[in-house]
Amino acid sequence: MPTGSLLDTHLTNLAAALVPYRRCERQLARWGADLAHRLAAGGRLLVAGNGGSAAEAQHLTAELVGKLHDDRQPLSAIALHAETSALTAIANDYGYADVYARQVRAHGRPGDVLLLLSTSGTSQNLVTAAQAARDVGVTTWALTGAAPNPLADACDEVLAVASPDTQVVQELHLVTSHLLCEYLEQELPAALAAVADPVAVHAASGTPAPVRTGVEVVLDGGAGQQVDA
């Protein structure tokens, strides 16, 4: 029998996981900034999980379509499990392993991000979704428990919570979602400015703006048509 109370045991496990989690700050800031620029440019975040991880996926998309703190424009984010008719039809016709992969193939475009949440990192439907994302050019991020695990191996990047306690992993995944939104909203004004006026943003940063190259062909009547070289 445990010597401490349930509360003491839980908080001890959480405190132990917080020590290595603090090293994720740079990754969280980078993910948040990257996502801000992708979504500001018209990209989309697709999120998926099972059970409690599905609930956390939907929590994250709600923060992005709605807001975390201050009012801002809505951002495109979809929790794939919430598409219940599609989910059950795909499960019925193709099997549960394909419930997310088929949706990724339908909705995912190059420049989008697929974020997959799993405490174990072994959910086959998430691994299959990551493989589908790779096929269609979608970037894949994973939130998992301790690595290595199959989902971490299938994704481009992973944030793995170093804890054997499923509840602690889920709790730090929620912290991750909130921090991801915080870093995104911090970067969003710069991301929107880059979309609105890329020349000014490049000038302010000291980097040259992209130059469109080509030759001008003058047709009858004096109309000029730009032809890419």
Side-chain angles (χ1 to χ4, degrees), residues 174-194:
L174 180 57
V175 171
T176 299
S177 292
H178 284 153
L179 286 169
L180 190 60
C181 291
E182 296 236 36
Y183 283 117
L184 179 151
E185 291 192 352
Q186 178 178 277
E187 181 67 18
L188 190 59
L192 292 171

Side-chain angles (χ1 to χ4, degrees), residues 41-77:
R44 173 180 292 159
L45 176 68
L46 305 176
V47 194
N50 297 295
S53 294
E56 296 206 25
Q58 196 164 352
H59 186 136
L60 174 58
T61 58
E63 305 281 20
L64 294 174
V65 178
K67 66 174 183 176
L68 183 66
H69 291 304
D70 299 326
D71 191 27
R72 54 158 171 78
Q73 73 176 60
L75 300 170
S76 182

Side-chain angles (χ1 to χ4, degrees), residues 53-124:
S53 294
E56 296 206 25
Q58 196 164 352
H59 186 136
L60 174 58
T61 58
E63 305 281 20
L64 294 174
V65 178
K67 66 174 183 176
L68 183 66
H69 291 304
D70 299 326
D71 191 27
R72 54 158 171 78
Q73 73 176 60
L75 300 170
S76 182
I78 298 174
L80 298 181
H81 75 277
E83 295 288 331
T84 54
S85 292
L87 184 103
T88 52
I90 295 166
N92 189 59
D93 294 341
Y94 298 96
Y96 196 69
D98 286 327
V99 292
Y100 296 136
R102 192 164 179 87
Q103 293 186 73
V104 169
R105 294 184 187 280
H107 302 306
R109 302 291 184 269
D112 293 346
V113 173
L114 173 66
L115 177 60
L116 301 167
L117 292 81
S118 172
T119 57
S120 67
T122 61
S123 300
Q124 185 57 51

